[in-house]
């Protein structure tokens, strides 16, 4: 399951450098995957939409692996001072699917 950031985010920026997949972006910023740049309104390659935020830090679901293979627990949730990095019910995935996503990102580039 990918994580998501709720509107309780205080924009402290602590989570962004902790993500091993570069899945976290500042509100309003474009995001990247496999050398391509995406912005507001662009769906992710998986078809995911609705995750981009103009106001708060956000997580790209195609890039979040719950920190699978890198860490024992989601690092964004571990460092967030207001506990607003939570499981995203719209992007539920099994451990096997998360491991496949790690391989996908290894090949495509983060
Ligand atoms: Fe990045 Fe891990 Fe947070 Fe997902 S759970 S956004 S991979 S730090
Ligand atoms: Fe927002 Fe939490 Fe990230 Fe700070 S650590 S930017 S409060 S999600």
């Amino acid at each position: 399951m990918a994580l998501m950031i709720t509107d309780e985010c205080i924009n402290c920026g602590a989570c962004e450098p902790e993500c091993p997949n570069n899945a976290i972006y500042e509100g309003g910023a474009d995001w990247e995957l496999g050398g391509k740049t995406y912005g507001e309104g662009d769906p992710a390659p998986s078809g995911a939409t609705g995750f981009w935020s103009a106001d708060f830090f956000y997580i790209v679901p195609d890039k979040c692996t719950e920190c699978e293979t890198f860490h024992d627990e989601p690092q964004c949730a571990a460092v967030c001072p207001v506990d607003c990095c939570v499981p995203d019910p719209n992007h539920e995935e099994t451990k096997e699917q998360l491991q496949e996503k790690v391989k996908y990102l290894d090949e495509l580039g983060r």
Side-chain angles (χ1 to χ4, degrees), residues 3 21 29 62 81 89 98:
L3 269 70
N21 292 316
D62 282 32
L98 291 171

Side-chain angles (χ1 to χ4, degrees), residues 1-2 4 48-50 61 87-93:
M1 187 182 295
M4 60 177 280
T49 57
D88 181 350
N90 290 321
H91 296 104
E92 289 191 16
E93 292 154 296

